């Protein structure tokens, strides 16, 4: 369950032996509000070393992994299996739970993070043009 931030603003986590992207989207945000009331309450529960904390981490991991899978499919990638409740059990090692918890929190943080452009940095105009062409081709 190694977490790393990818260029597309998702976090990668290994769940049930498979690398999965975690995406904190507006849909997950709305589900979070229904289940926990607000994000701070949710994060308080996620951080707890308790059954409730485990269940909250699991809830977020499954929803964000499945949301990311739907994003993959929308982008034209071949479908991969969706995660199910039985894919994350209490048999998980504590160290793996901590890594999954960190990935969940990172994905939530990225969901709210704005991209800040430093005007003082040099820009690679060739790279920007290539990215712009790729974006237009994907429309």
């Amino acid at each position: 369950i190694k977490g790393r931030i990818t260029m597309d603003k998702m976090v990668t986590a290994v769940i049930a032996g498979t690398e999965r992207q975690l995406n904190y989207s507006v849909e997950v945000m709305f589900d979070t509000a229904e289940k926990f009331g607000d994000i701070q309450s949710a994060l308080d529960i996620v951080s707890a070393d308790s059954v409730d904390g485990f269940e909250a981490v699991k809830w977020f991991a499954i929803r964000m992994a499945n949301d990311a899978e739907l994003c993959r499919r929308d982008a034209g990638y071949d479908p991969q299996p969706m995660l199910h409740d039985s894919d994350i059990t209490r048999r998980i090692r504590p160290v793996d739970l901590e890594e999954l918890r960190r990935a969940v929190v990172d994905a939530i943080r990225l969901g709210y993070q704005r991209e800040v452009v430093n005007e003082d940095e040099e820009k690679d105009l060739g790279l920007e043009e290539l990215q712009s062409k790729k974006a237009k081709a994907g429309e």
Side-chain angles (χ1 to χ4, degrees), residues 75-86:
Y77 290 95
D78 290 335
Q80 299 205 351
M82 298 296 263
L83 274 182
H84 301 283
D85 203 51
S86 60

Side-chain angles (χ1 to χ4, degrees), residues 14-137:
V14 176
I15 301 172
T18 303
E19 266 196 8
R20 302 283 188 151
Q21 297 291 318
L22 302 181
N23 185 45
Y24 186 77
S25 66
V26 170
E27 184 168 350
V28 177
M29 180 184 76
F30 292 152
D31 291 346
T32 299
E34 279 185 33
K35 182 164 181 74
F36 299 100
D38 60 44
I39 191 61
Q40 190 55 57
S41 298
L43 289 171
D44 290 344
I45 295 169
V46 163
S47 67
D49 285 327
S50 65
V51 172
D52 288 343
F54 167 79
E55 292 297 331
V57 169
K58 178 178 174 175
W59 185 88
F60 272 108
I62 291 169
R63 269 154 195 78
M64 290 192 293
N66 288 342
D67 192 85
E69 175 57 24
L70 293 174
C71 290
R72 282 183 73 261
R73 292 175 185 187
D74 286 348
Y77 290 95
D78 290 335
Q80 299 205 351
M82 298 296 263
L83 274 182
H84 301 283
D85 203 51
S86 60
D87 291 322
I88 303 172
T89 70
R90 290 190 196 175
R91 299 289 172 253
I92 190 172
R93 297 180 323 149
V95 67
D96 294 335
L97 176 59
E98 285 306 312
E99 290 180 12
L100 183 56
R101 182 182 326 222
R102 187 173 19 255
V104 161
V105 171
D106 285 348
I108 293 168
R109 181 182 50 79
L110 282 176
Y112 288 106
Q113 184 176 340
R114 268 186 205 197
E115 284 190 45
V116 177
V117 177
N118 184 349
E119 297 296 327
D120 296 333
E121 281 185 19
E122 289 184 23
K123 294 182 181 182
D124 185 336
L125 298 178
L127 179 60
E128 285 182 12
E129 183 178 342
L130 180 62
Q131 289 171 337
S132 174
K133 287 179 184 177
K134 282 184 179 180
K136 287 179 185 173

